[in-house]
Amino acid sequence: MKSKELLITEIFSSIQGESTFAGKVCFFIRLAGCNLNCSYCDTKYSFNKENAQTFTIEQLYQEVVESGIKLVEITGGEPLLQDSVYELTNKLIQNNFTVLIETNGSILINNLNPKVIKILDCKCPDSNQSKKMNFKNFNFLSDNDEIKFVLSSRKDYEYAKTIINDHKLFSITEKILLSPVSDKLAPQLLAKWMIEDNSYATFQLQLHKIIWPGIEKGV
């Protein structure tokens, strides 16, 4: 693949289902390929590069413009595996789009445009990928960025609390999200734990799975 090109699994318009932007209309660019294999992954179809399409930066930019949507999320897979993603984010920022990038926390985010809103997924033990987290990434976050913990169990919940406290994450950003894996941890149970702890984190459900249950792609 040439420079200034990206391997894309899908592009689509939808309702943002996660982050503090949940509920807003958003244009999604899902890049192909991932370097992790989380136990609960709901986008494994993005791992297959053979079914992906190649787009130039300019083609993707035109798709965004034609959508008429000013909020853009770049996700995956793991978008930072493809070097041209930096040029795409810069072009979108320069043209006054709000850009979110969701990353799995294993790759350094320090080369991203500071105006890109990073949604950093901090992997917990039940993901089977927590040891691949690069905690140096916390040094490159601002108060506009977000940190997400996807939880499968009480063990994951306690781990998230430990990471939040040990790394003083609330001194970096107030946008810390706790999200239960839909078939592993009952939302009511996570809510109970958070209430008991007077948690300052934000409880989050995947809104798109409520709107379009059972549908994986294009939402």
Side-chain angles (χ1 to χ4, degrees):
M1 190 170 59
K2 301 175 183 177
S3 61
K4 298 189 178 181
E5 291 182 341
L6 287 162
L7 204 55
I8 304 297
T9 295
E10 57 181 346
I11 55 175
F12 57 95
S13 302
S14 188
I15 297 295
Q16 176 60 258
E18 301 179 76
S19 81
T20 60
F21 291 84
K24 294 187 178 294
V25 173
C26 184
F27 188 81
F28 288 85
I29 302 173
R30 187 181 301 283
L31 276 63
C34 191
N35 60 326
L36 301 186
N37 187 23
C38 297
S39 61
Y40 50 74
C41 182
D42 56 5
T43 53
K44 287 187 182 294
Y45 61 89
S46 68
F47 295 3
N48 189 346
K49 295 182 179 181
E50 293 181 2
N51 295 332
Q53 290 182 280
T54 299
F55 285 76
T56 66
I57 300 297
E58 187 58 35
Q59 285 173 327
L60 286 170
Y61 176 71
Q62 289 303 319
E63 292 280 353
V64 173
V65 171
E66 291 172 13
S67 76
I69 299 169
K70 299 299 290 185
L71 177 64
V72 181
E73 172 161 322
I74 300 171
T75 185
E78 172 47 54
L80 297 187
L81 290 174
Q82 300 189 48
D83 289 342
S84 293
V85 73
Y86 300 103
E87 184 171 345
L88 175 60
T89 56
N90 288 341
K91 186 173 182 66
L92 291 169
I93 291 293
Q94 289 163 8
N95 288 278
N96 300 314
F97 288 90
T98 300
V99 180
L100 317 176
I101 190 159
E102 186 156 357
T103 178
N104 64 29
S106 67
I107 298 173
L108 284 178
I109 61 174
N110 57 311
N111 290 323
L112 281 167
N113 189 309
K115 292 185 179 179
V116 171
I117 297 170
K118 279 80 71 180
I119 302 169
L120 187 74
D121 191 344
C122 186
K123 300 301 180 184
C124 296
D126 284 350
S127 71
N128 298 325
Q129 303 295 298
S130 58
K131 292 182 180 179
K132 296 181 181 179
M133 270 293 300
N134 191 333
F135 292 113
K136 291 180 181 177
N137 276 321
F138 294 148
N139 298 321
F140 306 116
L141 296 174
S142 75
D143 58 0
N144 288 322
D145 299 321
E146 309 189 6
I147 304 169
K148 178 177 72 172
F149 294 86
V150 178
L151 312 175
S152 297
S153 64
R154 180 77 193 208
K155 178 174 70 174
D156 279 356
Y157 177 69
E158 295 298 334
Y159 177 85
K161 289 199 302 180
T162 297
I163 296 298
I164 291 167
N165 291 331
D166 288 354
H167 292 271
K168 299 180 173 57
L169 296 187
F170 277 113
S171 68
I172 299 172
T173 178
E174 294 186 356
K175 299 172 183 177
I176 297 179
L177 313 172
L178 303 183
S179 179
V181 178
S182 56
D183 60 344
K184 299 290 186 182
L185 177 59
Q188 299 91 336
L189 193 54
L190 175 57
K192 177 177 179 290
W193 297 337
M194 292 177 69
I195 293 167
E196 289 173 347
D197 288 341
N198 292 326
S199 175
Y200 197 51
T202 299
F203 177 90
Q204 176 182 260
L205 294 176
Q206 292 180 297
L207 187 59
H208 52 290
K209 291 188 177 180
I210 298 171
I211 301 172
W212 297 285
I215 299 176
E216 287 186 338
K217 298 183 180 180
V219 297

